[in-house]
Amino acid sequence: MIDAEVNKSSNPIEKLNSGNQRFISEKTIHPHQNKKSVLANQDSQKPFAVIITCSDSRVSPEIVFDQGIGDLFVIRNAGNLISDIDMGSIEYAVEHLDTKLIVVLGHTECGAIKAYINDKDGAYKKHFNHIDNIVETISLENEEIEADKTTPKATNYLGAIDANIKHSLKLIQDNPIIKEHKIKVVPMLYDVHTGKVIPL
């Protein structure tokens, strides 16, 4: 019953949207979260979507999309950034797991973006720690630079989140392997206040 309901659509975006609707409506069915699913995936996996998102503890793709073991290939780091290692993980999912959809999932109240917009004149560079590297990476994103020209970042929090998502989206879309396999790459925003995932 549960498997039938989850798999009634073969469209990966519809699966995610339906799962999020169940989540926000408090009608989750917690699919593929049992021993049977462990055994079904023990020798191989075939996730229907890659989710690149933030490490924020409030953003858990399997929960907010009401999915389970073997459904999602999740890549997480502060600020949903795309390093070479993250890109390699995406390429692996596409080439070896035959995953057809990639989602860049940003979110409201993102601490990495707040650190970026609250930074004054590159003050983060004084700390010499790895958190500084996150802020610097965001500050160098072309989309953030362009957004800041239109509206100063200190007053453009949602715009900065949007620019950050667009930057990661473009990096993935420009990847030759992603182009070769004609993979769909979509931007989404998770609202930590409501639990809703919003297509962008």
Side-chain angles (χ1 to χ4, degrees):
M1 175 68 177
I2 287 179
D3 286 349
E5 182 171 350
V6 171
N7 295 320
K8 64 184 177 183
S9 171
S10 60
N11 184 308
I13 294 180
E14 288 181 8
K15 285 185 182 182
L16 294 176
N17 289 338
S18 295
N20 183 243
Q21 185 58 47
R22 293 193 301 270
F23 175 69
I24 61 178
S25 301
E26 297 188 348
K27 295 179 179 178
T28 51
I29 55 178
H30 308 290
H32 311 142
Q33 297 181 23
N34 50 32
K35 183 65 176 291
K36 178 182 176 182
S37 298
V38 171
L39 298 176
N41 287 275
Q42 63 183 324
D43 296 321
S44 64
Q45 58 174 316
K46 194 174 176 58
F48 68 84
V50 174
I51 312 290
I52 174 79
T53 193
C54 189
S55 298
D56 193 300
S57 63
R58 298 166 292 182
V59 186
S60 299
E62 290 89 349
I63 294 175
V64 303
F65 287 118
D66 194 26
Q67 301 298 323
I69 294 170
D71 293 327
L72 305 178
F73 192 85
V74 180
I75 303 163
R76 300 179 69 173
N77 61 60
N80 40 269
L81 305 177
I82 306 292
S83 68
D84 289 344
I85 293 173
D86 298 308
M87 191 66 84
S89 300
I90 293 169
E91 291 173 355
Y92 173 78
V94 168
E95 287 202 303
H96 298 278
L97 305 180
D98 198 32
T99 308
K100 301 299 185 185
L101 172 69
I102 301 169
V103 174
V104 178
L105 181 65
H107 70 97
T108 58
E109 306 298 339
C110 180
I113 298 299
K114 285 183 177 180
Y116 160 68
I117 65 173
N118 291 327
D119 175 62
K120 307 297 182 186
D121 302 318
Y124 63 86
K125 296 179 181 177
K126 299 176 182 177
H127 303 139
F128 302 106
N129 61 34
H130 292 88
I131 295 175
D132 295 346
N133 295 339
I134 297 170
V135 179
E136 181 175 26
T137 298
I138 295 171
S139 73
L140 295 175
E141 294 175 355
N142 290 333
E143 291 78 2
E144 294 291 2
I145 293 169
E146 290 304 312
D148 194 34
K149 289 178 182 177
T150 305
T151 307
K153 64 181 183 179
T155 58
N156 193 29
Y157 173 57
L158 291 178
I161 292 174
D162 183 65
N164 171 250
I165 294 170
K166 287 178 178 176
H167 179 75
S168 293
L169 186 79
K170 186 174 189 308
L171 286 179
I172 299 169
Q173 289 174 330
D174 288 346
N175 181 296
I177 292 174
I178 304 305
K179 288 182 176 180
E180 176 188 347
H181 289 267
K182 299 179 181 178
I183 302 301
K184 190 174 186 66
V185 189
V186 300
M188 293 184 177
L189 177 69
Y190 176 68
D191 188 342
V192 301
H193 303 287
T194 65
K196 185 172 179 59
V197 175
I198 305 160
L200 298 179

